[in-house]
Amino acid sequence: MAGIDPFEEINELAGTLKGIQDVLDLDSMRRQLDELGEQAAAPDLWNDPEQAQKVTSKLSHLQGELNRVEGLIRRLDDLGVLYELAQAEDDEETREEALRELSALRRDIGALEVRTLLSGEYDSREALITINSQAGGVDAADWAQMLLRMYLRWAERKGHTTEVYETSYAEEAGIKSATFTVKAPYAYGTLRGEHGTHRLVRISPFDNQGRRQTSFAGVDVVPVVEQTDHIDINEDELRVDVYRSSGPGGQGVNTTDSAVRITHMPTGIVVSCQNERSQLQNKATAMAVLQAKLLERKRQEEADKMSELRGESTTSWGTQIRNYVLHPYQIVKDLRTTVEAGNPTAVLDGDLDEFIEAEIRWARRREQGLADD
């Protein structure tokens, strides 16, 4: 910190925080909170449990956002007082405490600033995520299951609700695929940078000779469909199959054919749901997943068309985005942002914030034409 005037940095952080407040519009947030509070207090709220869940979830998220900003404002004000006290009394211990708080505020304000970059059409939506094992055999299936755990742990750390719709287990170990939602405002905008191929390098636990194995798994992130979206699906273009839900190793977890698989024949998109015991509920959920994937396909086609008109290149779904190396050294490196972490165990346990924040900043720079194509 030598050579840096703490008061100057506090003023810079105050300017950044003021800009964040302008973007978030705290007065508008307070009005929304009042409206949501009235809806949450309605006696017939829980007559529609799904709508009630959305209202209470949005209320909780918005209150948390407002508390977060107001807390940072108070902390920044208190920090100025703390530095003045340390300077007036020439108190080294107080000065060190102020330096630690300055470092923490720099990090926390930076994280909040990332939130203001989520201004895309669907960024405020919940996220629907599908993970598929790719090249690498049994190691790839195991890798896909590791990624599923990583994202569920990340959501758990954030206090976000998740729901796993479908898991297709591989024969020996791991999973062929899994689909789940992260039910939190801005989950899609936050996680959309995770979309792509993830590569794992390690000593294979399934190789008797202990050889190094490279495995791949794909992560697909789309926004959850809302009532305002217009996604028309012709029932004649669907093939609906029902089958018995099962767990790892073929162990039956359901005695009825309640799991549903829907194939959209024009696009070849296949979705499944088996988390409910009712076939009707599984079909309704599978249709919602299909609508989300068709919405994303439509959005991507429109984006590709605009990029083509501008003479720009687009990024395909299968682009490799991140390497996780566990042997011969340990590192996780994002190939777009160059962010690295030397503790893969922590990352695989859900410590993804540094990567996610860097992705959001990188994506915004690309959208503004400041990054290389």
Side-chain angles (χ1 to χ4, degrees):
M1 300 295 293
I4 298 177
D5 181 355
F7 291 103
E8 184 177 327
E9 186 163 5
I10 289 172
N11 286 334
E12 289 179 1
L13 288 176
T16 301
L17 194 52
K18 178 63 169 62
I20 291 171
Q21 292 176 67
D22 291 342
V23 170
L24 295 180
D25 190 352
L26 300 194
D27 289 338
S28 175
M29 288 176 71
R30 293 185 183 100
R31 286 193 297 273
Q32 289 181 61
L33 276 171
D34 289 340
E35 293 171 5
L36 288 168
E38 290 178 7
Q39 293 177 39
D44 60 348
L45 174 70
W46 288 96
N47 290 349
D48 183 347
E50 186 176 346
Q51 179 62 22
Q53 184 66 41
K54 288 182 178 179
V55 169
T56 55
S57 175
K58 191 170 183 180
L59 178 63
S60 175
H61 176 79
L62 202 58
Q63 186 63 65
E65 288 266 282
L66 185 60
N67 291 344
R68 185 180 177 190
V69 179
E70 291 176 342
L72 287 171
I73 294 170
R74 287 193 297 271
R75 284 173 59 191
L76 200 57
D77 289 342
D78 292 345
L79 180 60
V81 174
L82 193 63
Y83 264 117
E84 289 174 359
L85 181 65
Q87 191 174 49
E89 299 186 3
D90 196 21
D91 186 336
E92 187 60 29
E93 186 176 340
T94 302
R95 187 176 292 111
E96 289 296 325
E97 179 187 348
L99 283 172
R100 287 192 296 271
E101 174 65 355
L102 178 58
S103 178
L105 272 168
R106 191 185 309 118
R107 180 191 65 241
D108 294 344
I109 290 174
L112 182 60
E113 187 179 24
V114 168
R115 156 68 179 81
T116 67
L117 301 179
L118 302 180
S119 56
E121 183 179 1
Y122 301 112
D123 282 355
S124 63
R125 302 278 185 94
E126 296 175 355
L128 177 69
I129 302 173
T130 300
I131 299 173
N132 290 285
S133 62
Q134 296 181 338
V138 64
D139 280 278
D142 188 52
W143 173 223
Q145 189 165 38
M146 290 167 66
L147 284 175
L148 173 62
R149 180 186 180 277
M150 179 181 77
Y151 290 117
L152 294 178
R153 285 286 293 125
W154 174 83
E156 183 183 342
R157 285 166 173 246
K158 294 291 184 184
H160 298 336
T161 301
T162 56
E163 183 175 0
V164 179
Y165 290 153
E166 182 269 342
T167 305
S168 176
Y169 291 94
E171 291 181 6
E172 187 174 342
I175 60 174
K176 296 176 184 177
S177 65
T179 299
F180 65 99
T181 53
V182 179
K183 297 185 175 184
Y186 289 94
Y188 172 69
T190 302
L191 291 169
R192 65 174 176 153
E194 294 296 297
H195 184 105
T197 298
H198 298 242
R199 172 176 175 262
L200 173 69
V201 180
R202 64 171 175 176
I203 297 295
S204 172
F206 307 101
D207 189 311
N208 293 332
Q209 299 179 40
R211 289 173 294 191
R212 191 170 64 175
Q213 174 74 29
T214 300
S215 313
F216 299 87
V219 176
D220 184 25
V221 185
V222 300
V224 168
V225 169
E226 294 184 352
Q227 291 181 350
T228 53
D229 298 316
H230 301 289
I231 303 298
D232 296 322
I233 300 177
N234 187 341
E235 290 281 345
D236 295 336
E237 297 176 340
L238 301 179
R239 187 176 73 240
V240 181
D241 301 306
V242 295
Y243 59 99
R244 187 163 297 179
S245 303
S246 62
Q251 179 184 1
V253 295
N254 198 328
T255 57
T256 62
D257 293 338
S258 62
V260 174
R261 180 186 301 110
I262 299 177
T263 304
H264 185 248
M265 290 181 285
T267 61
I269 294 174
V270 180
V271 298
S272 305
C273 184
Q274 62 179 33
N275 68 317
E276 302 288 352
R277 289 194 175 273
S278 161
Q279 187 183 119
L280 287 175
Q281 287 176 302
N282 280 330
K283 183 179 179 182
T285 300
M287 283 296 292
V289 173
L290 176 59
Q291 286 179 317
K293 289 185 178 291
L294 289 173
L295 175 67
E296 176 62 15
R297 184 185 180 93
K298 178 183 176 184
R299 187 199 65 78
Q300 188 60 52
E301 287 174 350
E302 290 171 352
D304 289 347
K305 193 175 294 184
M306 290 302 298
S307 295
E308 188 177 340
L309 290 172
R310 295 189 187 113
E312 300 170 351
S313 62
T314 58
T315 303
S316 66
W317 185 89
T319 301
Q320 188 175 311
I321 65 167
R322 191 176 302 141
N323 289 331
Y324 305 71
V325 181
L326 307 185
H327 183 85
Y329 50 87
Q330 295 208 339
I331 193 171
V332 178
K333 182 172 182 177
D334 194 283
L335 303 180
R336 303 155 299 173
T337 65
T338 71
V339 168
E340 297 181 359
N343 186 356
T345 300
V347 174
L348 293 172
D349 195 40
D351 188 6
L352 289 169
D353 285 349
E354 185 178 2
F355 289 98
I356 288 172
E357 290 174 11
E359 288 163 5
I360 293 170
R361 294 183 186 278
W362 175 84
R364 174 48 66 94
R365 287 197 301 271
R366 278 182 63 87
E367 287 166 3
Q368 293 176 339
L370 300 179
D372 295 333
D373 288 329

